[in-house]
Amino acid sequence: MAPGHSFWAIFYFACLCSASLANNARVNFREKEKKILDQILGAGKYDARIRPSGINGTDGPAVVNINLFVRSIATISDIKMEYSVQLTFREQWTDERLKFDDIGGRLKYLTLTEANRVWMPDLFFSNEKEGHFHNIIMPNVYIRIFPYGSVLYSIRISLTLACPMNLKLYPLDRQICSLRMASYGWTTADLVFLWKEGDPVQVVKNLHLPRFTLEKFLTDYCNSKTNTGEYSCLKVDLLFKREFSYYLIQIYIPCCMLVIVSWVSFWLDQGAVPARVSLGVTTLLTMATQTSGINASLPPVSYTKAIDVWTGVCLTFVFGALLEFALVNYASRSADRAADIHRENMKKKRRELEQASIDAGSDLLDTDSNATFAMILNGNLQKPLVRHPGDPLALEKMRQCEVHMQPPKRPNCCKTFMSKLPTRSKRIDVISRITFPLVFALFNLVYWSTYLFRDEDAGE
């Protein structure tokens, strides 16, 4: 071939290649997507009412893989026994009717925003109370169709879910709140839900809850059988631990302070009636108000909670301090009344003794004068009577002296200390100063050792 002809041949081939590349560069893949969607979803070609085939095109049930991404947990309400969660919900299944040519791997997937164009699983949240989709700025939902017929459905939703709670250990408790998803109409013969392998549930990092901590979560299956058949069901259990520091500052420490303040009454003078009464009544009313506020934030349940035991015992101690003053006041008034009666009796006896001594003196004077006169007349003055050593009366006196001369018994410290207290009311105050703190400390030891180390399953 002549050199000129070879040059023109190469030039022509180069022009053809450049034209082909230019044509490929001008290909509008969005138009290709439209054509593919029209081909696979066109009228008379795809029916969204018919479920997909089973695995590998068999007549078995359609398999839908589920995974969740928990974006936030807003509130956990004890009184309503519910919690609010915002999550991204994803479903993935295979529908062989939606296969398409990916143009040599250039079309990774097709995107839809209308869920009614393809078949959708009839999943619902069985423990849902309220829920809504997010439509700002556009509806937060998409459907991706992959070349081999796989369909991915993703949507962002907010749910308020029921969470039955066991509050026997409140506020030292842990709660398990579930999220249940089930098929509404398709039985397990037509539709089966499975957790996506690997990591079916993801939780956003640094999840912050005001009064709880998310310890862990577990995925499980919860298929249910009814009169109409067996339905596939999935669930995820969220284990929440209640933050105790909030309740320690807001409930336990204030209650301890109120109980201790009620003990100040034991150190006040028993005659300070207004001070002791006002202190006892004030602490009692404050403790009652504290208890009412705690119960207002909790549902009315039939069993006794740990916080009920604490507030009930604290209220009993405060009430006991008030009753102690009533006992002290009664003992003081009884002692005063007994002292007045004793004083009157002593005065009466003193007057009787004075009168008797006057009468006896006059009688003795008359008797002595007569006796002396008689002895003088007889001419002999008798000696006074003297008790001889062998006299039985003298021996009895000696035995009594020996008894009293025996060594004294060892003194009792408590009796010695109590004997130093002048009145019974003072003794009651001193005993209360020791007894109340000791009993309250013993109660704290039993309470915390019981509820802190109690098995969670034992309380259910």
Side-chain angles (χ1 to χ4, degrees):
M1 183 180 291
H5 291 286
S6 62
F7 172 77
W8 288 109
I10 294 172
F11 178 76
Y12 178 73
F13 182 74
C15 290
L16 288 177
C17 290
S18 61
S20 176
L21 291 174
N23 289 332
N24 289 336
R26 287 193 298 270
V27 172
N28 189 340
F29 288 97
R30 304 290 79 80
E31 290 293 332
K32 289 288 185 181
E33 290 181 8
K34 178 181 180 303
K35 290 181 180 179
I36 293 173
L37 287 174
D38 291 339
Q39 290 175 3
I40 62 177
L41 298 177
K45 295 183 178 181
Y46 184 87
D47 192 345
R49 298 173 297 175
I50 306 301
R51 72 168 180 86
S53 301
I55 299 175
N56 297 326
T58 62
D59 194 32
V63 177
V64 179
N65 295 297
I66 306 292
N67 75 312
L68 305 173
F69 176 65
V70 180
R71 294 182 172 271
S72 65
I73 298 176
T75 58
I76 301 176
S77 175
D78 295 316
I79 190 169
K80 294 182 179 180
M81 291 195 178
E82 64 184 21
Y83 72 106
S84 300
V85 60
Q86 183 186 124
L87 50 86
T88 298
F89 174 73
R90 304 186 187 100
E91 296 176 308
Q92 193 165 7
W93 66 93
T94 300
D95 192 343
E96 294 185 354
R97 297 172 295 174
L98 299 177
K99 290 182 178 180
F100 63 89
D101 183 12
D102 60 355
I103 313 178
R106 296 180 182 180
L107 282 179
K108 295 182 178 181
Y109 53 81
L110 304 175
T111 302
L112 293 177
T113 57
E114 300 176 0
N116 58 355
R117 297 288 302 275
V118 298
W119 176 87
M120 291 290 298
D122 60 343
L123 181 141
F124 77 105
F125 298 93
S126 58
N127 60 333
E128 171 205 353
K129 287 187 174 182
E130 294 179 359
H132 67 274
F133 302 120
H134 293 266
N135 297 317
I136 300 175
I137 298 176
M138 292 292 292
N140 298 165
V141 58
Y142 67 79
I143 297 176
R144 290 176 181 175
I145 303 175
F146 294 89
Y148 48 88
S150 178
V151 181
L152 173 63
Y153 174 74
S154 177
I155 187 170
R156 186 166 73 99
I157 54 179
S158 291
L159 299 171
T160 299
L161 303 166
C163 178
M165 298 182 181
N166 188 340
L167 300 174
K168 288 183 179 180
L169 303 181
Y170 176 91
L172 303 166
D173 57 334
R174 287 178 172 86
Q175 299 297 337
I176 298 177
C177 295
S178 300
L179 174 62
R180 295 174 176 267
M181 300 159 286
S183 172
Y184 189 80
W186 297 99
T187 63
T188 52
D190 296 312
L191 178 62
V192 173
F193 291 122
L194 297 176
W195 285 113
K196 184 179 179 180
E197 295 182 359
D199 194 9
V201 178
Q202 304 94 40
V203 180
V204 65
K205 294 182 179 180
N206 301 323
L207 179 65
H208 177 70
L209 297 173
R211 288 186 289 179
F212 287 89
T213 300
L214 179 61
E215 286 191 332
K216 60 182 179 180
F217 52 87
L218 303 171
T219 57
D220 200 357
Y221 296 90
C222 54
N223 292 4
S224 60
K225 291 184 179 180
T226 66
N227 293 334
T228 57
E230 182 180 0
Y231 298 89
S232 182
C233 174
L234 303 179
K235 74 171 182 176
V236 53
D237 292 331
L238 305 173
L239 178 60
F240 295 103
K241 179 183 178 182
R242 198 181 299 273
E243 287 292 341
F244 180 67
S245 58
Y246 168 82
Y247 300 93
L248 180 65
I249 297 173
Q250 297 294 326
I251 296 177
Y252 285 93
I253 292 179
C255 289
C256 283
M257 293 173 66
L258 286 173
V259 173
I260 294 173
V261 167
S262 68
W263 297 343
V264 176
S265 173
F266 305 151
W267 298 88
L268 297 178
D269 185 74
Q270 59 188 13
V273 176
R276 297 187 68 162
V277 170
S278 60
L279 181 63
V281 172
T282 302
T283 53
L284 183 62
L285 292 178
T286 306
M287 191 65 216
T289 304
Q290 180 87 346
T291 304
S292 300
I294 295 170
N295 293 329
S297 61
L298 294 172
V301 294
S302 59
Y303 48 82
T304 302
K305 304 179 289 294
I307 195 66
D308 295 335
V309 176
W310 175 264
T311 55
V313 172
C314 290
L315 191 62
T316 303
F317 270 93
V318 174
F319 184 67
L322 186 61
L323 290 183
E324 188 272 347
F325 170 67
L327 181 61
V328 167
N329 187 264
Y330 174 77
S332 177
R333 288 187 289 107
S334 298
D336 293 341
R337 190 181 305 110
D340 293 339
I341 295 173
H342 180 69
R343 194 179 299 110
E344 292 295 331
N345 292 335
M346 291 299 294
K347 289 181 179 180
K348 183 177 180 181
K349 288 181 180 181
R350 190 179 296 111
R351 288 194 300 265
E352 292 177 355
L353 289 175
E354 290 176 355
Q355 185 65 33
S357 61
I358 293 173
D359 296 340
S362 60
D363 294 340
L364 182 62
L365 181 60
D366 296 339
T367 305
D368 289 344
S369 59
N370 295 331
T372 304
F373 180 73
M375 291 171 63
I376 292 172
L377 290 177
N378 294 332
N380 56 350
L381 184 62
Q382 296 182 356
K383 295 181 180 181
L385 297 176
V386 178
R387 186 72 60 183
H388 296 284
D391 195 349
L393 185 58
L395 294 175
E396 184 65 23
K397 291 289 184 180
M398 291 177 65
R399 292 193 191 97
Q400 293 180 1
C401 291
E402 290 177 358
V403 171
H404 290 294
M405 290 295 291
Q406 291 179 357
K409 296 181 179 179
R410 190 173 181 178
N412 192 332
C413 298
C414 296
K415 291 183 178 180
T416 304
F417 176 75
M418 289 299 175
S419 63
K420 295 180 181 180
L421 301 176
T423 59
R424 185 187 302 173
S425 58
K426 190 66 176 178
R427 295 174 187 173
I428 295 174
D429 273 341
V430 172
I431 293 174
S432 299
R433 293 172 192 173
I434 301 172
T435 305
F436 273 71
L438 287 179
V439 175
F440 190 67
L442 179 62
F443 162 71
N444 274 268
L445 179 63
V446 174
Y447 180 87
W448 295 114
S449 61
T450 299
Y451 286 103
L452 285 180
F453 302 106
R454 185 175 181 177
D455 187 9
E456 185 73 19
D457 296 335
E460 295 181 357

